[in-house]
Amino acid sequence: MDLETLLSYPWGIMAPEFTILIVATLLSIMDLFMKDKVNRNVLGWFAIGGVVLALIFLIGQFGAPVQMILYDTYRLDSFSVAFKLILLIGTLFVLLLGLDYGKKEIKYRGEFFYLLLTALLGGMIMASSADMITLFVGLELLSLSSYVMAGLRKNNLQSNEAAFKYVVNGGVATAITLFGMSYVYGLTGYTNLFDISDALQNPVVLENGFLLAFAFFLVFVGLAFKVAAVPFHMWSPDVYQGAPTPVTAFLSVVSKTAGFALILRFLLVVFGGAHGIQPLQPLLLDTQIYIAVVAGLTMIVGNVMALRQTNVKRLFAYSSVAQAGYLLVPFATLSIVMFENVWFYLVAYLFMNLGAFAVLQLVTTQSGTEDLRGFAGLGQRSPLMAVGMGVFLVSLAGIPVTAGFMGKFYIFIGALSTGHFILASVMIATSVVSYFYYFGIMTQMFFRKAPTTEAMRVPIGASIVIVIAVIATIGLGIVPQLAIDFFNTNFDFSQIFMRV
């Protein structure tokens, strides 16, 4: 590629990514030359400033036409902008939590801040990629950064175990994903998603429908590891328990959002128009039953296993597995409001889950235990924080007048409208099961005696996250149309299929 071609690209479409890259690079250099005794929170505030600046650039891209650069491997469209918005806001909240996390837990705090940004950058690349190579680069950048962050509590055996298990399972998932992609490349001869989609109409490819279905299966299995869908979820409880709490929050929301963005982009653009094993049957309809089974099992196993947990981080790991099951339902139903439902639920999940993790971090840090008993008497010690946690738990359980309820309701209606009555029934049944463990935490907060009457200290970072999350969780539950109107006004998800 010559210089003239490089300069001809509209590099402004990558302004948010360049901002995160530059800030992460500067943070790593600053951390290298800072003395050991200097408080690393200054790096955290610098990272927060970088994410806010990237958000400003991203907001400026709302309503922009579809653009592609680097030989159509990287694109700006409504799909990428919508998911980057969730990724940036989620990372901003995690950074605020990271400011308050104990110095004794993470000795090398500078690493946390710039590794978090590189993981974010990987997720943003995944959201904008239009080529299997750039998709894989983004996926690995996110994954490798996450592996290191999971083991940042270097003197903690659980953290060491978490990092090891995450690396091993992540490596297996990567290998399976690459194997599936190699079949796609072998059948079509292309790595660009739109070229692959066109090539799948070739009669020679149509004669190999079984191989294409096998490739779909492999890619989906590999990506199911990333979003912790059953039966590929076994790494998540140990990783969530062993990783530092801000990292656990990042994995549960931001990493999962990037995973679903990749699944949407890859499966719909590549396989959306592909023929199945029977030439007259679309491949996505052939595979509906498989995705439906995975979604159903993920909801059932996640919620049932959460009932047995006494460690609150493991409980939220299985809760996160269950939430992945709810998010997989639109993929199985393929309703006309699929994009809208997935995006809205991810936004709701962002606020209710990160708000819950903010309270969880405060309680586990100040009580010195990750056991459910650490929440005992929180309603007496810190009534406002207990009420906030109650709002998040009610929303996660899917009880009316919360964002979580509206998100599940939209997905439920989408399942009913396409005739998937069994999946809709599983959604209702598993949501009822979740009441038991979510309300178990509320029982501890409001009906158990506090071991001490001393009020809990709430740092500024956690306070900001909790207040914003409570307002958004209740607001989106009462007036969900605000988010829907925002979505319809600023994003046109049909652009995902536009080549330019």
Side-chain angles (χ1 to χ4, degrees):
M1 186 185 298
D2 56 44
L3 182 61
E4 184 178 350
T5 305
L6 271 176
L7 295 176
S8 68
Y9 289 132
W11 291 106
I13 72 172
M14 291 188 70
E17 287 87 341
F18 283 137
T19 301
I20 298 300
L21 174 62
I22 292 169
V23 172
T25 305
L26 290 175
L27 285 178
S28 62
I29 295 172
M30 291 166 62
D31 183 49
L32 184 64
F33 289 100
M34 287 175 71
K35 294 183 178 179
D36 290 343
K37 295 182 180 180
V38 176
N39 192 334
R40 260 39 179 194
N41 274 6
V42 65
L43 300 180
W45 287 111
F46 191 72
I48 288 170
V51 173
V52 170
L53 182 59
L55 262 172
I56 293 171
F57 283 129
L58 186 74
I59 291 169
Q61 295 176 343
F62 284 7
V66 179
Q67 299 178 69
M68 298 180 74
I69 61 174
L70 300 174
Y71 294 115
D72 296 344
T73 61
Y74 207 82
R75 62 188 274 124
L76 171 70
D77 56 17
S78 289
F79 177 88
S80 62
V81 173
F83 277 93
K84 286 179 195 175
L85 184 65
I86 300 175
L87 296 174
L88 285 167
I89 294 175
T91 305
L92 184 62
F93 280 11
V94 173
L95 283 168
L96 288 169
L97 295 181
L99 291 173
D100 307 327
Y101 197 65
K103 296 177 183 178
K104 293 181 181 179
E105 293 287 335
I106 304 179
K107 184 177 180 182
Y108 303 101
R109 290 168 58 79
E111 293 179 1
F112 166 74
F113 294 119
Y114 57 78
L115 283 171
L116 194 66
L117 292 187
T118 55
L120 166 64
L121 181 61
M124 295 171 74
I125 292 172
M126 289 163 64
S128 274
S129 293
D131 191 277
M132 288 197 296
I133 295 174
T134 48
L135 273 174
F136 184 72
V137 168
L139 178 63
E140 284 305 284
L141 182 56
L142 170 63
S143 299
L144 293 172
S145 301
S146 300
Y147 300 156
V148 180
M149 286 194 295
L152 279 179
R153 295 197 294 173
K154 299 180 181 179
N155 297 322
N156 185 291
L157 289 178
Q158 288 184 341
S159 188
N160 297 337
E161 180 185 354
F164 177 76
K165 287 186 175 180
Y166 202 9
V167 169
V168 172
N169 284 277
V172 171
T174 297
I176 294 172
T177 305
L178 270 181
F179 191 38
M181 288 181 174
S182 70
Y183 270 92
V184 174
Y185 175 73
L187 285 167
T188 63
Y190 296 104
T191 59
N192 183 276
L193 303 187
F194 293 93
D195 288 337
I196 293 170
S197 180
D198 293 339
L200 291 180
Q201 310 304 319
N202 189 305
V204 176
V205 177
L206 295 179
E207 293 175 2
N208 294 279
F210 173 77
L211 287 178
L212 188 60
F214 184 59
F216 175 94
F217 171 78
L218 289 173
V219 172
F220 186 80
V221 166
L223 298 181
F225 270 99
K226 299 299 181 185
V227 298
V230 173
F232 318 109
H233 68 293
M234 293 309 296
W235 58 271
S236 59
D238 292 323
V239 173
Y240 277 46
Q241 181 180 359
T245 304
V247 176
T248 304
F250 178 86
L251 295 176
S252 72
V253 176
V254 182
S255 181
K256 193 178 292 288
T257 298
F260 278 106
L262 194 157
I263 292 173
L264 273 171
R265 171 87 73 183
F266 192 84
L267 297 189
L268 291 180
V269 175
V270 171
F271 297 109
H275 294 286
I277 297 175
Q278 300 297 326
L280 297 179
Q281 175 89 336
L283 179 63
L284 289 182
L285 289 181
D286 271 350
T287 55
Q288 260 189 322
I289 182 63
Y290 168 72
I291 299 176
V293 169
V294 171
L297 285 174
T298 303
M299 289 186 282
I300 293 168
V301 173
N303 283 300
V304 171
M305 290 301 294
L307 294 171
R308 300 169 52 85
Q309 306 307 314
T310 56
N311 182 288
V312 70
K313 288 174 75 175
R314 290 184 75 88
L315 185 151
F316 271 91
Y318 283 110
S319 166
S320 182
V321 169
Q323 303 296 332
Y326 300 129
L327 281 161
L328 282 172
V329 172
F331 292 85
T333 60
L334 297 175
S335 66
I336 58 174
V337 288
M338 173 183 179
F339 291 113
E340 184 178 303
N341 289 348
V342 170
W343 185 82
F344 182 89
Y345 197 83
L346 283 170
V347 171
Y349 185 59
L350 160 70
F351 290 112
M352 60 189 180
N353 211 48
L354 286 182
F357 268 104
V359 177
L360 187 156
Q361 175 175 304
L362 292 174
V363 172
T364 56
T365 301
Q366 296 186 35
S367 67
T369 178
E370 293 179 354
D371 195 272
L372 284 172
R373 290 173 296 179
F375 282 87
L378 184 62
Q380 304 165 29
R381 298 181 60 190
S382 185
L384 291 178
M385 189 161 66
V387 169
M389 186 64 169
V391 170
F392 304 136
L393 293 172
V394 164
S395 184
L396 285 164
I399 292 176
V401 201
T402 61
F405 168 78
M406 293 310 304
K408 286 182 181 177
F409 176 74
Y410 289 140
I411 293 174
F412 176 76
I413 293 300
L416 284 183
S417 65
T418 53
H420 288 77
F421 303 115
I422 295 178
L423 264 185
S425 302
V426 172
M427 281 191 69
I428 294 176
T430 53
S431 292
V432 172
V433 170
S434 72
Y435 296 169
F436 289 92
Y437 59 86
Y438 287 132
F439 283 100
I441 300 176
M442 294 183 71
T443 300
Q444 291 288 339
M445 292 193 297
F446 296 108
F447 300 104
R448 295 290 182 268
K449 189 176 180 180
T452 174
T453 57
E454 182 184 355
M456 296 196 73
R457 183 181 63 84
V458 185
I460 183 67
S463 300
I464 294 171
V465 173
I466 293 170
V467 169
I468 294 175
V470 166
I471 293 171
T473 300
I474 296 174
L476 290 176
I478 297 174
V479 200
Q481 200 58 40
L482 286 176
I484 301 300
D485 289 343
F486 174 80
F487 176 89
N488 292 328
T489 302
N490 295 286
F491 308 127
D492 177 12
F493 267 34
S494 65
Q495 290 183 356
I496 192 175
F497 301 107
M498 297 179 185
R499 179 156 194 169
V500 183

